[in-house]
Amino acid sequence: MSFRRSIFWLRRDLRLEDNVALSAATRLSKEVVLVFVFDTNILDRLKDKNDRRMTAIHNALLDLDRKVRKKGSALVLLHGDPKREILEFAKRIQASAIFVNRDYEPYAKKRDKAVQTACNKLGIAFHDYKDQVIFEGNELLTQSGAAYKVFTPYKNKWLKELNACLYQDHRSQLKRLVPLKQLDKEIVGWSLKKLGFDYADLYLKVGESAAKKQLKNFLPDLPSYDKNRNYPILPNGTSRLSVHLRYGTLSIRSLVRFALTNPSLGAKTWLSELIWRDFYQMILDQFPHVVKGCFKKKYDSIKWPGTQKNFMLWCQGMTGFPLVDAAMRCFNKTGWMHNRLRMIVASFLTKDLLVDWRKGEDWFARNLLDFDLAANNGGWQWCASTGCDAQPYFRIFNPISQSEKFDPEGNFIKNFIPELKNFSKKQIHWPHVANQEIQEKVNCILGKDYPKPIVTHSEQRIKFLNLFKSF
Ligand SMILES: Cc1cc2nc3c(=O)[nH]c(=O)nc-3n(C[C@H](O)[C@H](O)[C@H](O)COP(=O)(O)OP(=O)(O)OC[C@H]3O[C@@H](n4cnc5c(N)ncnc54)[C@H](O)[C@@H]3O)c2cc1C
């Protein structure tokens, strides 16, 4: 046993099962204290006091605390600057080690470096582990020793290098959690109100228990993933596990284990999506300039001519393009959006409305329940054609044919734009061709009950091509 008492500092890993740092902490320490810090450097920047993410995290922590209490311990919650809070706490409870799982976002890397340096000075051990991904930033390199910039060769290398150790289950010895009676003085109930936030309605439940339920719900549909994944109307067409991967209420290794033991094409395709996740984490880690600028730096000098007015109409789902509007209204209502719809609305904002991708990225970052800097930035730059291995700039989604293809019955549109519900399945994708008589019959006057299109796709397409051609 190396340490008498250690801290396991939870961040993006709000679970007890299959957790690398927690497993190591309980293996190497006589007693382990679980701590989460409400980081004021992050919370103070959240403008919306109704932010769904706060409710989600709070729920996940409550779920965790309930589980930990069943083991006779409790979760300690701190509030403030994490560097100061965690070190003061370590001194107070005389912990001789801090265990964490690594996080690859620039702020987190800087924070952990500062904590590690301070720990070194105080003689406290700082142990960090890979948990969030299968391969970290610099673990997979090209033959010339560079980071990959193209997905397919990265994926091939990922699959070639994969071995069972990389996705093994890391169990913890929870009997080593410090007894509750020793923590009495440290337990402060941080309600959301006390933190300055309100409870928000959550469309997706968050927490380790909810994650397990969602996974169980999805697994029977995994074999059909390759066929169903592009249809937003299908409830289990995709796993809807992104929220759980974001907060770490499920381990990525457990998902890889499920994917590998299922021989279907669906499982193979799904594994590929999990590899995209690793790919974008690697890109963020190795090319941190993407946080502020284009992956391909030459595109930084583009002057995007799109207007604030059109951007706002896009945010509100009032562009007159039914599937785009339905997707944005769904997003505003639930905080979640299907991948096909994310691609369609991002393409529409950048290539039809000619608005800088960073504005859309920021709107998603502020509102997505599963917001993940690496995946969001990667997704936006892919759609805007400014990213690594992005969609070629001359490939521009037609929002109407995308709608006909991926919402053929128009049911997704009807769910979120009820004013269009009486249009036929043929006309609902582009109701603007309906004459006055039809509009009256279906009880939807265009320009009054539903907006007329704010741009003409064919004209905007040419403008976008000209904008990019010069580069
Ligand atoms: C513009 C845009 C923004 C996006 N922003 C985010 C974001 O903030 N957070 C986020 O988790 N994903 C983001 N994605 C990727 C993808 O849309 C979501 O991961 C997916 O819709 C989540 O649904 P799911 O869990 O049902 O996915 P599934 O299809 O079941 O896939 C399983 C898991 O694989 C990962 N994954 C799937 N597709 C991608 C992808 N293209 N890139 C990276 N990882 C992927 C996710 O972790 C997902 O949960 C974005 C995509 C685009 C085009």
mmCIF file of all heavy atoms in Angstrom, residues 346-380:
data_model
loop_
_atom_site.group_PDB
_atom_site.id
_atom_site.type_symbol
_atom_site.label_atom_id
_atom_site.label_comp_id
_atom_site.label_asym_id
_atom_site.label_seq_id
_atom_site.Cartn_x
_atom_site.Cartn_y
_atom_site.Cartn_z
ATOM 1 N N ALA A 346 -25.454 22.754 -39.665
ATOM 2 C CA ALA A 346 -24.133 23.405 -39.698
ATOM 3 C C ALA A 346 -23.778 23.761 -41.138
ATOM 4 O O ALA A 346 -23.243 24.838 -41.418
ATOM 5 C CB ALA A 346 -23.080 22.493 -39.087
ATOM 6 N N SER A 347 -24.100 22.850 -42.060
ATOM 7 C CA SER A 347 -23.843 23.127 -43.464
ATOM 8 C C SER A 347 -24.697 24.316 -43.918
ATOM 9 O O SER A 347 -24.228 25.219 -44.616
ATOM 10 C CB SER A 347 -24.178 21.881 -44.292
ATOM 11 O OG SER A 347 -24.101 22.171 -45.650
ATOM 12 N N PHE A 348 -25.940 24.345 -43.476
ATOM 13 C CA PHE A 348 -26.846 25.427 -43.878
ATOM 14 C C PHE A 348 -26.342 26.785 -43.356
ATOM 15 O O PHE A 348 -26.316 27.776 -44.090
ATOM 16 C CB PHE A 348 -28.259 25.138 -43.354
ATOM 17 C CG PHE A 348 -29.283 26.130 -43.810
ATOM 18 C CD1 PHE A 348 -29.820 26.058 -45.088
ATOM 19 C CD2 PHE A 348 -29.698 27.159 -42.981
ATOM 20 C CE1 PHE A 348 -30.757 26.992 -45.531
ATOM 21 C CE2 PHE A 348 -30.629 28.089 -43.410
ATOM 22 C CZ PHE A 348 -31.162 28.011 -44.694
ATOM 23 N N LEU A 349 -25.907 26.812 -42.100
ATOM 24 C CA LEU A 349 -25.456 28.094 -41.534
ATOM 25 C C LEU A 349 -24.224 28.614 -42.278
ATOM 26 O O LEU A 349 -24.139 29.802 -42.600
ATOM 27 C CB LEU A 349 -25.121 27.945 -40.042
ATOM 28 C CG LEU A 349 -24.737 29.266 -39.373
ATOM 29 C CD1 LEU A 349 -25.953 30.174 -39.205
ATOM 30 C CD2 LEU A 349 -24.063 29.066 -38.023
ATOM 31 N N THR A 350 -23.291 27.711 -42.566
ATOM 32 C CA THR A 350 -22.037 28.170 -43.176
ATOM 33 C C THR A 350 -22.147 28.325 -44.694
ATOM 34 O O THR A 350 -21.650 29.291 -45.252
ATOM 35 C CB THR A 350 -20.893 27.190 -42.836
ATOM 36 O OG1 THR A 350 -21.304 25.861 -43.196
ATOM 37 C CG2 THR A 350 -20.563 27.217 -41.355
ATOM 38 N N LYS A 351 -22.822 27.383 -45.353
ATOM 39 C CA LYS A 351 -22.774 27.364 -46.815
ATOM 40 C C LYS A 351 -24.005 27.986 -47.489
ATOM 41 O O LYS A 351 -23.951 28.341 -48.654
ATOM 42 C CB LYS A 351 -22.545 25.932 -47.316
ATOM 43 C CG LYS A 351 -21.175 25.407 -46.859
ATOM 44 C CD LYS A 351 -20.875 24.007 -47.297
ATOM 45 C CE LYS A 351 -19.453 23.626 -46.900
ATOM 46 N NZ LYS A 351 -19.141 22.223 -47.143
ATOM 47 N N ASP A 352 -25.105 28.114 -46.751
ATOM 48 C CA ASP A 352 -26.281 28.803 -47.300
ATOM 49 C C ASP A 352 -26.391 30.215 -46.732
ATOM 50 O O ASP A 352 -26.697 31.157 -47.462
ATOM 51 C CB ASP A 352 -27.570 28.042 -46.988
ATOM 52 C CG ASP A 352 -27.760 26.857 -47.936
ATOM 53 O OD1 ASP A 352 -27.185 25.795 -47.652
ATOM 54 O OD2 ASP A 352 -28.448 27.008 -48.962
ATOM 55 N N LEU A 353 -26.132 30.338 -45.419
ATOM 56 C CA LEU A 353 -26.254 31.680 -44.825
ATOM 57 C C LEU A 353 -24.903 32.384 -44.778
ATOM 58 O O LEU A 353 -24.832 33.569 -44.417
ATOM 59 C CB LEU A 353 -26.871 31.583 -43.420
ATOM 60 C CG LEU A 353 -28.275 30.960 -43.353
ATOM 61 C CD1 LEU A 353 -28.822 31.013 -41.934
ATOM 62 C CD2 LEU A 353 -29.248 31.648 -44.310
ATOM 63 N N LEU A 354 -23.834 31.670 -45.104
ATOM 64 C CA LEU A 354 -22.482 32.241 -45.188
ATOM 65 C C LEU A 354 -22.040 32.904 -43.880
ATOM 66 O O LEU A 354 -21.377 33.941 -43.864
ATOM 67 C CB LEU A 354 -22.380 33.242 -46.351
ATOM 68 C CG LEU A 354 -22.926 32.765 -47.702
ATOM 69 C CD1 LEU A 354 -22.818 33.858 -48.752
ATOM 70 C CD2 LEU A 354 -22.209 31.518 -48.190
ATOM 71 N N VAL A 355 -22.461 32.286 -42.770
ATOM 72 C CA VAL A 355 -22.091 32.781 -41.444
ATOM 73 C C VAL A 355 -20.865 32.005 -40.955
ATOM 74 O O VAL A 355 -20.771 30.787 -41.165
ATOM 75 C CB VAL A 355 -23.288 32.603 -40.459
ATOM 76 C CG1 VAL A 355 -22.858 32.875 -39.021
ATOM 77 C CG2 VAL A 355 -24.446 33.516 -40.860
ATOM 78 N N ASP A 356 -19.955 32.701 -40.307
ATOM 79 C CA ASP A 356 -18.721 32.104 -39.778
ATOM 80 C C ASP A 356 -19.067 30.895 -38.901
ATOM 81 O O ASP A 356 -19.904 31.000 -37.987
ATOM 82 C CB ASP A 356 -17.993 33.177 -38.936
ATOM 83 C CG ASP A 356 -16.577 32.761 -38.565
ATOM 84 O OD1 ASP A 356 -16.324 31.551 -38.422
ATOM 85 O OD2 ASP A 356 -15.728 33.656 -38.406
ATOM 86 N N TRP A 357 -18.411 29.749 -39.154
ATOM 87 C CA TRP A 357 -18.701 28.515 -38.403
ATOM 88 C C TRP A 357 -18.540 28.716 -36.897
ATOM 89 O O TRP A 357 -19.185 28.039 -36.096
ATOM 90 C CB TRP A 357 -17.824 27.358 -38.892
ATOM 91 C CG TRP A 357 -16.336 27.585 -38.749
ATOM 92 C CD1 TRP A 357 -15.502 28.142 -39.667
ATOM 93 C CD2 TRP A 357 -15.505 27.279 -37.615
ATOM 94 N NE1 TRP A 357 -14.221 28.197 -39.193
ATOM 95 C CE2 TRP A 357 -14.192 27.670 -37.932
ATOM 96 C CE3 TRP A 357 -15.738 26.710 -36.367
ATOM 97 C CZ2 TRP A 357 -13.114 27.523 -37.052
ATOM 98 C CZ3 TRP A 357 -14.674 26.562 -35.486
ATOM 99 C CH2 TRP A 357 -13.383 26.961 -35.821
ATOM 100 N N ARG A 358 -17.672 29.657 -36.491
ATOM 101 C CA ARG A 358 -17.429 29.843 -35.053
ATOM 102 C C ARG A 358 -18.680 30.324 -34.317
ATOM 103 O O ARG A 358 -18.854 30.056 -33.140
ATOM 104 C CB ARG A 358 -16.273 30.824 -34.818
ATOM 105 C CG ARG A 358 -14.920 30.133 -34.925
ATOM 106 C CD ARG A 358 -13.829 31.127 -35.150
ATOM 107 N NE ARG A 358 -13.855 31.531 -36.548
ATOM 108 C CZ ARG A 358 -12.783 31.660 -37.317
ATOM 109 N NH1 ARG A 358 -11.597 31.444 -36.809
ATOM 110 N NH2 ARG A 358 -12.867 32.028 -38.567
ATOM 111 N N LYS A 359 -19.562 31.039 -35.045
ATOM 112 C CA LYS A 359 -20.804 31.500 -34.390
ATOM 113 C C LYS A 359 -21.727 30.313 -34.103
ATOM 114 O O LYS A 359 -22.341 30.225 -33.049
ATOM 115 C CB LYS A 359 -21.521 32.529 -35.274
ATOM 116 C CG LYS A 359 -20.784 33.861 -35.299
ATOM 117 C CD LYS A 359 -21.625 34.935 -35.926
ATOM 118 C CE LYS A 359 -22.770 35.318 -35.044
ATOM 119 N NZ LYS A 359 -22.886 36.709 -34.743
ATOM 120 N N GLY A 360 -21.809 29.407 -35.059
ATOM 121 C CA GLY A 360 -22.623 28.204 -34.860
ATOM 122 C C GLY A 360 -22.005 27.312 -33.795
ATOM 123 O O GLY A 360 -22.706 26.756 -32.943
ATOM 124 N N GLU A 361 -20.692 27.191 -33.838
ATOM 125 C CA GLU A 361 -19.989 26.367 -32.852
ATOM 126 C C GLU A 361 -20.287 26.889 -31.440
ATOM 127 O O GLU A 361 -20.564 26.127 -30.514
ATOM 128 C CB GLU A 361 -18.479 26.418 -33.124
ATOM 129 C CG GLU A 361 -17.671 25.521 -32.206
ATOM 130 C CD GLU A 361 -16.218 25.935 -32.081
ATOM 131 O OE1 GLU A 361 -15.873 27.104 -32.364
ATOM 132 O OE2 GLU A 361 -15.414 25.088 -31.667
ATOM 133 N N ASP A 362 -20.256 28.207 -31.305
ATOM 134 C CA ASP A 362 -20.491 28.823 -29.994
ATOM 135 C C ASP A 362 -21.941 28.595 -29.535
ATOM 136 O O ASP A 362 -22.182 28.314 -28.368
ATOM 137 C CB ASP A 362 -20.175 30.327 -30.100
ATOM 138 C CG ASP A 362 -20.393 31.021 -28.776
ATOM 139 O OD1 ASP A 362 -19.775 30.582 -27.798
ATOM 140 O OD2 ASP A 362 -21.195 31.977 -28.713
ATOM 141 N N TRP A 363 -22.889 28.692 -30.485
ATOM 142 C CA TRP A 363 -24.301 28.467 -30.132
ATOM 143 C C TRP A 363 -24.493 27.031 -29.629
ATOM 144 O O TRP A 363 -25.171 26.776 -28.636
ATOM 145 C CB TRP A 363 -25.202 28.764 -31.340
ATOM 146 C CG TRP A 363 -26.670 28.626 -31.047
ATOM 147 C CD1 TRP A 363 -27.508 27.645 -31.493
ATOM 148 C CD2 TRP A 363 -27.474 29.494 -30.226
ATOM 149 N NE1 TRP A 363 -28.783 27.841 -31.010
ATOM 150 C CE2 TRP A 363 -28.790 28.973 -30.229
ATOM 151 C CE3 TRP A 363 -27.204 30.647 -29.503
ATOM 152 C CZ2 TRP A 363 -29.835 29.569 -29.534
ATOM 153 C CZ3 TRP A 363 -28.258 31.243 -28.801
ATOM 154 C CH2 TRP A 363 -29.549 30.702 -28.827
ATOM 155 N N PHE A 364 -23.866 26.091 -30.315
ATOM 156 C CA PHE A 364 -23.923 24.686 -29.884
ATOM 157 C C PHE A 364 -23.238 24.540 -28.522
ATOM 158 O O PHE A 364 -23.741 23.874 -27.632
ATOM 159 C CB PHE A 364 -23.208 23.789 -30.911
ATOM 160 C CG PHE A 364 -24.106 23.255 -32.004
ATOM 161 C CD1 PHE A 364 -25.193 23.982 -32.463
ATOM 162 C CD2 PHE A 364 -23.859 22.024 -32.580
ATOM 163 C CE1 PHE A 364 -26.010 23.489 -33.475
ATOM 164 C CE2 PHE A 364 -24.663 21.508 -33.589
ATOM 165 C CZ PHE A 364 -25.738 22.242 -34.035
ATOM 166 N N ALA A 365 -22.070 25.186 -28.374
ATOM 167 C CA ALA A 365 -21.298 25.038 -27.123
ATOM 168 C C ALA A 365 -22.099 25.537 -25.930
ATOM 169 O O ALA A 365 -21.998 25.003 -24.838
ATOM 170 C CB ALA A 365 -19.984 25.804 -27.231
ATOM 171 N N ARG A 366 -22.905 26.560 -26.166
ATOM 172 C CA ARG A 366 -23.673 27.119 -25.043
ATOM 173 C C ARG A 366 -24.914 26.305 -24.727
ATOM 174 O O ARG A 366 -25.444 26.394 -23.631
ATOM 175 C CB ARG A 366 -24.063 28.569 -25.355
ATOM 176 C CG ARG A 366 -22.871 29.509 -25.145
ATOM 177 C CD ARG A 366 -23.282 30.941 -25.120
ATOM 178 N NE ARG A 366 -23.331 31.493 -26.456
ATOM 179 C CZ ARG A 366 -24.249 32.365 -26.856
ATOM 180 N NH1 ARG A 366 -25.191 32.756 -26.033
ATOM 181 N NH2 ARG A 366 -24.214 32.845 -28.074
ATOM 182 N N ASN A 367 -25.386 25.517 -25.691
ATOM 183 C CA ASN A 367 -26.686 24.869 -25.495
ATOM 184 C C ASN A 367 -26.704 23.341 -25.546
ATOM 185 O O ASN A 367 -27.692 22.737 -25.152
ATOM 186 C CB ASN A 367 -27.679 25.405 -26.541
ATOM 187 C CG ASN A 367 -27.942 26.881 -26.318
ATOM 188 O OD1 ASN A 367 -28.534 27.259 -25.317
ATOM 189 N ND2 ASN A 367 -27.462 27.734 -27.208
ATOM 190 N N LEU A 368 -25.642 22.738 -26.063
ATOM 191 C CA LEU A 368 -25.662 21.269 -26.185
ATOM 192 C C LEU A 368 -25.462 20.603 -24.833
ATOM 193 O O LEU A 368 -24.507 20.925 -24.125
ATOM 194 C CB LEU A 368 -24.524 20.798 -27.094
ATOM 195 C CG LEU A 368 -24.763 20.591 -28.573
ATOM 196 C CD1 LEU A 368 -23.462 20.150 -29.238
ATOM 197 C CD2 LEU A 368 -25.856 19.577 -28.872
ATOM 198 N N LEU A 369 -26.316 19.658 -24.540
ATOM 199 C CA LEU A 369 -26.167 18.903 -23.296
ATOM 200 C C LEU A 369 -24.914 18.029 -23.359
ATOM 201 O O LEU A 369 -24.255 17.784 -22.362
ATOM 202 C CB LEU A 369 -27.419 18.029 -23.114
ATOM 203 C CG LEU A 369 -27.703 17.430 -21.766
ATOM 204 C CD1 LEU A 369 -27.680 18.466 -20.655
ATOM 205 C CD2 LEU A 369 -29.057 16.743 -21.774
ATOM 206 N N ASP A 370 -24.589 17.556 -24.565
ATOM 207 C CA ASP A 370 -23.402 16.704 -24.700
ATOM 208 C C ASP A 370 -22.197 17.499 -25.192
ATOM 209 O O ASP A 370 -21.250 16.927 -25.735
ATOM 210 C CB ASP A 370 -23.687 15.522 -25.646
ATOM 211 C CG ASP A 370 -23.951 15.952 -27.098
ATOM 212 O OD1 ASP A 370 -23.669 17.112 -27.461
ATOM 213 O OD2 ASP A 370 -24.443 15.115 -27.881
ATOM 214 N N PHE A 371 -22.218 18.829 -24.973
ATOM 215 C CA PHE A 371 -21.142 19.646 -25.539
ATOM 216 C C PHE A 371 -19.755 19.103 -25.171
ATOM 217 O O PHE A 371 -19.412 18.922 -24.014
ATOM 218 C CB PHE A 371 -21.251 21.102 -25.068
ATOM 219 C CG PHE A 371 -20.000 21.886 -25.383
ATOM 220 C CD1 PHE A 371 -19.564 22.001 -26.695
ATOM 221 C CD2 PHE A 371 -19.234 22.452 -24.377
ATOM 222 C CE1 PHE A 371 -18.387 22.688 -27.000
ATOM 223 C CE2 PHE A 371 -18.062 23.148 -24.671
ATOM 224 C CZ PHE A 371 -17.646 23.255 -25.988
ATOM 225 N N ASP A 372 -18.981 18.890 -26.217
ATOM 226 C CA ASP A 372 -17.625 18.403 -26.046
ATOM 227 C C ASP A 372 -16.772 19.235 -27.005
ATOM 228 O O ASP A 372 -17.028 19.228 -28.207
ATOM 229 C CB ASP A 372 -17.594 16.913 -26.413
ATOM 230 C CG ASP A 372 -16.193 16.373 -26.427
ATOM 231 O OD1 ASP A 372 -15.676 16.079 -25.349
ATOM 232 O OD2 ASP A 372 -15.616 16.259 -27.523
ATOM 233 N N LEU A 373 -15.823 19.947 -26.464
ATOM 234 C CA LEU A 373 -15.053 20.890 -27.287
ATOM 235 C C LEU A 373 -14.460 20.206 -28.522
ATOM 236 O O LEU A 373 -14.547 20.715 -29.637
ATOM 237 C CB LEU A 373 -13.955 21.534 -26.420
ATOM 238 C CG LEU A 373 -13.003 22.498 -27.111
ATOM 239 C CD1 LEU A 373 -13.724 23.630 -27.808
ATOM 240 C CD2 LEU A 373 -12.009 23.076 -26.096
ATOM 241 N N ALA A 374 -13.859 19.019 -28.312
ATOM 242 C CA ALA A 374 -13.172 18.341 -29.416
ATOM 243 C C ALA A 374 -14.158 17.937 -30.520
ATOM 244 O O ALA A 374 -13.945 18.228 -31.704
ATOM 245 C CB ALA A 374 -12.443 17.117 -28.888
ATOM 246 N N ALA A 375 -15.259 17.270 -30.141
ATOM 247 C CA ALA A 375 -16.219 16.773 -31.145
ATOM 248 C C ALA A 375 -16.982 17.920 -31.783
ATOM 249 O O ALA A 375 -17.264 17.898 -32.994
ATOM 250 C CB ALA A 375 -17.196 15.791 -30.500
ATOM 251 N N ASN A 376 -17.300 18.937 -31.001
ATOM 252 C CA ASN A 376 -18.071 20.057 -31.542
ATOM 253 C C ASN A 376 -17.222 20.849 -32.539
ATOM 254 O O ASN A 376 -17.652 21.139 -33.657
ATOM 255 C CB ASN A 376 -18.530 20.959 -30.391
ATOM 256 C CG ASN A 376 -19.603 21.937 -30.808
ATOM 257 O OD1 ASN A 376 -20.542 21.583 -31.532
ATOM 258 N ND2 ASN A 376 -19.467 23.184 -30.390
ATOM 259 N N ASN A 377 -16.005 21.142 -32.139
ATOM 260 C CA ASN A 377 -15.117 21.881 -33.030
ATOM 261 C C ASN A 377 -14.847 21.060 -34.294
ATOM 262 O O ASN A 377 -14.913 21.579 -35.413
ATOM 263 C CB ASN A 377 -13.808 22.183 -32.278
ATOM 264 C CG ASN A 377 -12.853 23.001 -33.094
ATOM 265 O OD1 ASN A 377 -12.160 22.459 -33.947
ATOM 266 N ND2 ASN A 377 -12.837 24.302 -32.874
ATOM 267 N N GLY A 378 -14.583 19.767 -34.109
ATOM 268 C CA GLY A 378 -14.315 18.899 -35.255
ATOM 269 C C GLY A 378 -15.519 18.844 -36.188
ATOM 270 O O GLY A 378 -15.378 18.944 -37.408
ATOM 271 N N GLY A 379 -16.721 18.715 -35.609
ATOM 272 C CA GLY A 379 -17.944 18.626 -36.408
ATOM 273 C C GLY A 379 -18.181 19.909 -37.190
ATOM 274 O O GLY A 379 -18.501 19.873 -38.389
ATOM 275 N N TRP A 380 -18.009 21.037 -36.536
ATOM 276 C CA TRP A 380 -18.246 22.316 -37.218
ATOM 277 C C TRP A 380 -17.233 22.551 -38.336
ATOM 278 O O TRP A 380 -17.584 22.972 -39.441
ATOM 279 C CB TRP A 380 -18.242 23.486 -36.221
ATOM 280 C CG TRP A 380 -19.620 23.653 -35.658
ATOM 281 C CD1 TRP A 380 -20.099 23.134 -34.496
ATOM 282 C CD2 TRP A 380 -20.735 24.329 -36.291
ATOM 283 N NE1 TRP A 380 -21.435 23.440 -34.355
ATOM 284 C CE2 TRP A 380 -21.850 24.176 -35.435
ATOM 285 C CE3 TRP A 380 -20.896 25.029 -37.481
ATOM 286 C CZ2 TRP A 380 -23.103 24.708 -35.733
ATOM 287 C CZ3 TRP A 380 -22.145 25.560 -37.786
ATOM 288 C CH2 TRP A 380 -23.228 25.398 -36.926
#
